[in-house]
Structures are given as structure tokens and as C-alpha cells.
Amino acid sequence: MTRSTIELVPTEKDRRIARHAAAAIVLTVAEAAIPLPLPGVKPGLANIVTLIVLARWGWREAVWVALLRVLAGSLLLGQFLAPGFFLSLSGAIASLVVLGVAMHLPRRWFGPVSHSILAAFAHIGAQLVVARLWLVPHDGVFYLLPVFALAAVVFGLVNGLVAARLLEELHGAAPAASKASATSPER
Amino acid sequence: MSLAPAAWRALLRPGDVLVVLGGLLLCGYSLMVLWQGGRPDAAIVRAGGKVVAEVDLRTARIIDVPGPIGTTRIEIQPGRARVAADPGPRQYCVRQGWLTQAGAVAICAPNEVSLSLSGRGADYDSLNY
């Protein structure tokens, strides 16, 4: 067998992204096992990983992790290129855009909980628009908005709190990137 | 790693509380705007198939409508309307009571009078639901 002439040497950053994406994928698959009352209302546990990556390693890595998670998660669940895949993809892109803006809010006042809730609203917003334009061409989908908005607040709050908690733990355990130095000082 | 409520509260920053409250406000607002469908705007009274009165449901009033066998009395109150009295033998339209949903209809067939509520979001009338 001839040796390949192309050698891909993964950098430390690549490995880090892969590790975080793997954690997010595990959460996605685990979450798929939870029975849910309404299609579309999901805790979005994998976003905890996105929030942590955003806080510790910045927006670009968060984008990688979130999009890899959507892609690999859909492959594992047999949803790739199915309507559900495009809904999660649109939601992920919208929430990443909002996170990119929200991360520049003053850190003294706005923590992971704010990021999480704002991203959750972007998520449902984009999903409803895609669903309205493509899957359910009727204004009836907007009747679900109050339910989705409530879910965004509740799950956004829970995910944000978990992410903030884990960030504290990680901050105590390992020297993080400079961006993480601003996590809440009180313990 | 403690799970005491105070430990979790310490993770919330002032702006986070504002974002939570804002989210809940948006939630309540969308609930009120989107789920109020079916509230009636106006009552339409017909006699012999012709519209004899079309009144809004903001002020209370009583309308007497003459028909072939007598007078049907329609009572309007803010947000609702009913047939208060009818000379018909079986009183179906009277017993229907207050109509409160857009699309609801009370028909007094013997006297050829009908009362219906119109409004945005009237998905069905009460004859076929």
C-alpha cells in the first residue's frame, strides 16, 4: 500500500473542537430519547457545550462545534437532509449569529444565562420562519409561538445556569483562555 | 459542588434577570395577541333572510325584531348577545343562551329570525362544529 502523500496533522485546536463536538453529539443523541409533548419543544442540552466553548474559546470554535453537532447528530439519528435537519440547522445558524452579538454585551451584567436565552429565542424564531415558509405554509404555525417562547425562556435559563456552573468549575480546574477570565468572580 | 438554590442564584447576573423577565413578557404578549381568536366584534340580526341590524358588541341594547308569528327580542351586552324571548314553540334559540364566540349562531326558525356573531378568527360557525 502506498502511503498517502497528503498528511493532515490535527492541531491542538482541531482536537479541542472534536472533543467538544463529541460531547455535544452525545447530548443530542441522549436528548432524542426523551419523550416530548410537542414536536419542536426540546431542551437543547447540546447548547450547553456551545455556550461553554463560546465563553472559553471564542465564537469561531463555537460555530464549528454547533454545526458539527447538527451535522453528526442528524446523521446518527437518521435525520440528515430531512425537514428536522433543516430546522435544527436554521436554528443553529440564527442562534450562532445572535451569540456572536450577545457575547459582546458587558460581562459584568450579562452572563451565560443571557446568552442562552437570547440564542434560544433566535433558535425558535428561525425555526418558525423556516417552518412557515417551507413546511407549513399557513400562519397557523405562529399559534405555537407562546409555547415555544415559554420553552425558550425555561430551557434557556436551565441551560445557561448549567453552563455558568460548569464554567466556574472549569475555570477553577484549568487555566482557560483569556476570554474565560471574566466569568463570575464569586464562588 | 453544591446544588443549593443560593449557589445557582449567584450565577445569575443583573442583566440575566432582565433577559428572563423580557422573555416572559414576550411570551405573555404573544399569548394575548395570538390566542385571543374567536372574540366577536359585531352581532348580525336577520329576519326572513335579510339583515335587519348589524350592531357592535360594545354597548348593551335590546332589539325587537318582528317576524311572521310575533316579535323576537334580541339582547346585546358587551362581548355577548342572546335571544331573550321568541314566540316559537320549542324555544331552541332562547335556550342556546349567551353567544360569546365569533361564528356562533342562534336561529329561531318559526319566526325566521337569526342572530349571529361575526369577528376576526371565526374558524367555524356553531352550526357545524
Side-chain angles (χ1 to χ4, degrees):
Chain A
M1 203 174 94
T2 46
R3 277 178 72 95
S4 169
T5 50
I6 305 167
E7 264 198 45
L8 291 174
V9 183
T11 62
E12 183 51 36
K13 185 180 164 187
D14 294 335
R15 292 182 200 278
R16 199 164 60 217
I17 289 172
R19 263 202 316 275
H20 285 121
I25 292 162
V26 166
L27 287 173
T28 302
V29 174
E31 184 178 270
I34 303 173
L36 296 157
L38 194 71
V41 176
K42 275 204 260 186
L45 298 174
N47 298 319
I48 295 169
V49 181
T50 312
L51 287 168
I52 290 172
V53 174
L54 180 79
R56 297 191 80 201
W57 307 104
W59 187 72
R60 280 171 181 276
E61 288 198 25
V63 171
W64 270 111
V65 169
L67 294 183
L68 280 173
R69 189 264 299 170
V70 169
L71 184 72
S74 73
L75 283 171
L76 283 172
L77 297 172
Q79 287 279 321
F80 183 56
L81 296 185
F85 166 76
F86 290 105
L87 287 179
S88 15
L89 185 63
S90 59
I93 291 171
S95 49
L96 285 168
V97 170
V98 166
L99 281 176
V101 177
M103 67 185 290
H104 297 297
L105 287 169
R107 281 179 173 264
R108 214 176 117 69
W109 299 94
F110 298 95
V113 174
S114 294
H115 300 165
S116 178
I117 293 175
L118 292 173
F121 269 102
H123 209 278
I124 58 159
Q127 289 191 324
L128 273 177
V129 169
V130 169
R132 169 66 183 82
L133 291 178
W134 179 41
L135 297 172
V136 189
H138 184 269
D139 283 335
V141 286
F142 292 117
Y143 278 101
L144 294 172
L145 184 60
V147 182
F148 288 149
L150 185 66
V153 173
V154 172
F155 293 133
L157 178 64
V158 171
N159 289 350
L161 283 174
V162 172
R165 189 56 194 259
L166 288 173
L167 278 170
E168 267 197 352
E169 302 286 328
L170 291 167
H171 190 53
S178 59
K179 284 207 166 72
S181 59
T183 44
S184 53
E186 69 273 275
R187 279 223 69 157
Chain B
M1 183 155 179
S2 75
L3 292 166
W8 288 107
R9 219 174 309 126
L11 298 170
L12 278 177
R13 296 175 206 181
D16 296 343
V17 178
L18 284 181
V19 171
V20 171
L21 291 179
L24 288 177
L25 271 181
L26 191 69
C27 202
Y29 176 76
S30 65
L31 192 72
M32 282 194 325
V33 170
L34 294 171
W35 285 14
Q36 66 159 11
R39 188 179 290 176
D41 299 331
I44 299 165
V45 181
R46 288 188 177 83
K50 291 193 176 61
V51 175
V52 295
E54 190 166 353
V55 294
D56 64 64
L57 292 177
R58 278 195 290 274
T59 46
R61 61 192 287 187
I62 286 173
I63 305 168
D64 287 325
V65 187
I69 62 168
T71 301
T72 298
R73 171 161 291 190
I74 309 272
E75 189 178 353
I76 311 279
Q77 281 195 355
R80 59 183 193 169
R82 69 168 174 174
V83 180
D86 179 67
R90 284 172 290 272
Q91 300 285 306
Y92 286 139
C93 57
V94 179
R95 285 201 231 157
Q96 241 176 293
W98 289 105
L99 307 183
T100 56
Q101 292 279 312
V105 184
I107 298 174
C108 305
N111 208 24
E112 297 177 10
V113 172
S114 77
L115 164 68
S116 60
L117 301 188
S118 65
R120 199 173 57 87
D123 297 330
Y124 44 77
D125 58 49
S126 58
L127 298 178
N128 66 18
Y129 88 99

